[in-house]
Amino acid sequence: MKLKSRVLQQGFLLALRFVSLVLWSFPGARALDNGLAMTPTMGWLHWERFMCNLDCQEEPDSCISEKLFMQMAELMESEGWKDVGYEYLCIDDCWMAPERDSNGRLQADPKRFPSGIRGLADYVHSKGLKLGIYADVGNKTCAGFPGSFGHYDIDAKTFADWGVDLLKFDGCYCDSVEHLEKGYKRMSLALNRTGRSIVYSCEWPLYMWPFRKPNYTEIRQYCNHWRNFEDVYDSWQSVKSILAWTSSNQKRIVDVAGPGGWNDPDMLVIGNFGLSWDQQVTQMALWAIMAAPLLMSNDLRHISPQAKALLQDKDVIAINQDPLGKQGYRLRKEDNIEVWERPLSDLAWAVAMVNLQEIGGPRFHTISIASLGQGLACIPDCMITQLLPEKKKLGFYQWTSDLKTKINPTGTVLLRLAATTTLKSLL
Ligand code: GLA
């Protein structure tokens, strides 16, 4: 009798898990149909680290010039970045000459980019990488260079002619919300008409929020990723505020993400100056949970081995790039500890526990396995591996088990829960 009820109970749990799987595999809203960004974009973007440094006389190594991008391209190829998936080398604001050319085309500053963007694109492609560029939907870029308003077609064509593979399209200097919305849509269509595969990275919702709630279903039909919130800075305050915004808006933004279209919480600042080791771990873990584009903004010429290993951690990258393409969410916050989770392919789950208490030492936190994955993450059992702060196999857990972890202040413990063969064999 006892055995029978156990078998029944297990059967019931497995059925539940099966139903959840069917539900999880429904696609989100329709994505921009350009076949790109089926997993979050990975690469490097100059803004947070190098900003708008135009002074190549005084600071030749950190001004925005083709030399900087060529050096980064070289390192992306030779230092293992490309091998783990960082593919797009992206230029942000401040690459342009102050005026368009006589044919109305954008042009790169001739002193800082003597080979032109075409020459730089050829170089980047020769390294097996892709090139990203930046423009703005309004009358000027945020730093005051020529905007694309009234020039969407010609700019899209110029970028395609140069061999550009990604466009970050900013939203400064727009006259109205209508201008903003129409501009983002028109540029998407213009890029499409070029026939070149160009990832389209938008800031549409960020600029929309002050006026009205963005229509994410629509945004997803035009953009491959979209910024929702303020620019990331090299500080814990900034990373923390991005996480807080994301969790408080998760009902609105999580379900809309999926292959082809992603929420973009902005660049990874790992390897710079402002984050402690634990805070860097938190950014990496949570950007994986959030299915965020992984665009590093750091100096690959000067990066510590520890930061490099974190950014190149294949297991964490695999969570970010999981083909199921479901964004994770905050499950709960209790006593300054947040638990986040993300469903993965192959019946697995990623779970992150963040200690937001900025006083005291490491804290112990116990979670009941049954509370994860809407009760279905570990049915009837699973293998748990801790991926961060360091990798270790924690072993075999049952649905009824508890798991005790120790989390440093502002740090995160990232776990991967893998389904065991018991469940897999039933599917
Ligand atoms: C805005 C964007 C940033 C960056 C700068 C460049 O602030 O949000 O990511 O592109 O403009 O001026």
Side-chain angles (χ1 to χ4, degrees):
M1 190 60 201
K2 230 179 172 180
L3 182 68
K4 197 174 160 199
S5 73
R6 222 179 127 219
V7 169
L8 273 175
Q9 189 198 11
Q10 282 218 346
F12 175 69
L13 292 174
L14 284 169
L16 259 181
R17 174 110 190 214
F18 183 74
V19 170
S20 80
L21 268 180
V22 174
L23 288 176
W24 283 123
S25 35
F26 276 123
R30 196 158 56 86
L32 169 59
D33 193 16
N34 64 2
L36 299 170
M38 297 312 282
T39 61
T41 303
M42 290 178 68
W44 186 92
L45 175 62
H46 95 240
W47 186 254
E48 193 288 320
R49 178 66 190 251
F50 294 96
M51 301 185 69
C52 193
N53 187 344
L54 306 179
D55 192 355
C56 292
Q57 218 48 6
E58 287 294 315
E59 296 175 52
D61 290 334
S62 47
C63 68
I64 307 312
S65 70
E66 67 180 34
K67 196 177 118 202
L68 179 73
F69 293 97
M70 285 174 172
Q71 289 181 347
M72 293 305 160
E74 241 175 271
L75 291 166
M76 278 171 81
E77 196 205 19
S78 63
E79 291 295 311
W81 300 100
K82 186 178 91 175
D83 295 340
V84 295
Y86 295 96
E87 190 185 14
Y88 287 81
L89 175 63
C90 305
I91 310 172
D92 207 289
D93 206 346
C94 304
W95 61 271
M96 294 174 198
E99 306 289 343
R100 290 174 176 268
D101 71 10
S102 52
N103 299 316
R105 286 162 68 114
L106 291 170
Q107 50 185 346
D109 182 283
K111 281 223 176 73
R112 293 180 289 116
F113 292 84
S115 318
I117 302 299
R118 166 111 241 177
L120 179 57
D122 288 346
Y123 183 79
V124 168
H125 292 153
S126 77
K127 299 279 167 202
L129 300 165
K130 294 186 157 44
L131 183 70
I133 207 161
Y134 167 100
D136 190 288
V137 70
N139 300 310
K140 284 192 254 177
T141 72
C142 297
F145 289 87
S148 293
F149 179 62
H151 304 272
Y152 299 132
D153 278 301
I154 189 172
D155 289 355
K157 191 162 175 317
T158 306
F159 298 146
D161 289 348
W162 286 343
V164 160
D165 306 291
L166 177 150
L167 173 64
K168 171 172 172 176
F169 210 38
D170 211 336
C172 277
Y173 296 104
C174 264
D175 300 330
S176 64
V177 194
E178 285 65 43
H179 171 171
L180 185 82
E181 279 191 316
K182 279 201 188 125
Y184 271 105
K185 290 183 192 174
R186 284 195 186 150
M187 191 48 136
S188 180
L189 300 173
L191 289 172
N192 211 280
R193 276 193 298 272
T194 68
R196 187 172 173 86
S197 290
I198 301 179
V199 171
Y200 187 38
S201 167
C202 301
E203 299 201 33
W204 177 357
L206 166 63
Y207 288 92
M208 194 76 199
W209 271 108
F211 301 98
R212 64 176 107 103
K213 285 178 191 147
N215 177 347
Y216 281 99
T217 313
E218 189 176 41
I219 290 169
R220 180 174 164 82
Q221 286 164 19
Y222 290 93
C223 302
N224 291 118
H225 23 99
W226 48 86
R227 284 269 310 282
N228 294 313
F229 188 64
E230 290 163 16
D231 295 359
V232 71
Y233 276 44
D234 188 11
S235 75
W236 173 238
Q237 173 56 35
S238 167
V239 169
K240 197 168 59 168
S241 68
I242 292 172
L243 294 176
W245 187 91
T246 305
S247 54
S248 54
N249 289 279
Q250 60 187 11
K251 286 217 170 71
R252 193 166 279 123
I253 65 167
V254 164
D255 285 345
V256 86
W262 312 96
N263 289 293
D264 178 5
D266 212 3
M267 293 158 264
L268 292 169
V269 294
I270 297 165
N272 291 323
F273 308 95
L275 300 186
S276 71
W277 167 246
D278 285 293
Q279 293 158 1
Q280 294 179 65
V281 166
T282 296
Q283 193 184 28
M284 193 67 191
L286 272 292
W287 263 235
I289 293 278
M290 293 188 292
L294 296 182
L295 293 167
M296 307 177 280
S297 194
N298 49 17
D299 189 343
L300 301 177
R301 298 164 301 186
H302 308 282
I303 187 163
S304 72
Q306 209 186 16
K308 183 178 175 192
L310 176 61
L311 286 161
Q312 293 194 357
D313 189 317
K314 288 190 183 142
D315 297 311
V316 182
I317 291 173
I319 289 179
N320 175 270
Q321 297 285 302
D322 186 82
L324 186 63
K326 290 278 175 198
Q327 181 173 338
Y329 47 85
R330 191 178 76 182
L331 180 64
R332 60 175 172 265
K333 178 173 183 168
E334 248 168 43
D335 196 16
N336 262 328
I337 288 186
E338 294 193 348
V339 181
W340 293 62
E341 62 180 16
R342 174 177 175 184
L344 303 172
S345 53
D346 233 0
L347 309 173
W349 285 79
V351 174
M353 281 155 289
V354 195
N355 175 6
L356 290 171
Q357 186 162 289
E358 295 172 32
I359 186 169
R363 291 169 73 207
F364 286 99
H365 181 69
T366 302
I367 39 171
S368 91
I369 300 288
S371 71
L372 299 173
Q374 284 141 39
L376 307 167
C378 191
I379 285 186
D381 46 39
C382 59
M383 279 298 296
I384 304 188
T385 311
Q386 177 184 298
L387 302 182
L388 291 174
E390 63 277 322
K391 188 164 173 176
K392 58 179 177 205
K393 287 215 160 96
L394 302 185
F396 186 71
Y397 281 75
Q398 305 242 307
W399 190 64
T400 47
S401 320
D402 281 341
L403 174 70
K404 192 172 173 186
T405 48
K406 191 167 107 180
I407 325 162
N408 289 346
T410 66
T412 293
V413 170
L414 178 67
L415 306 174
R416 186 174 192 281
L417 280 63
T420 52
T421 40
T422 328
L423 177 60
K424 284 195 189 158
S425 62
L426 284 165
L427 295 173

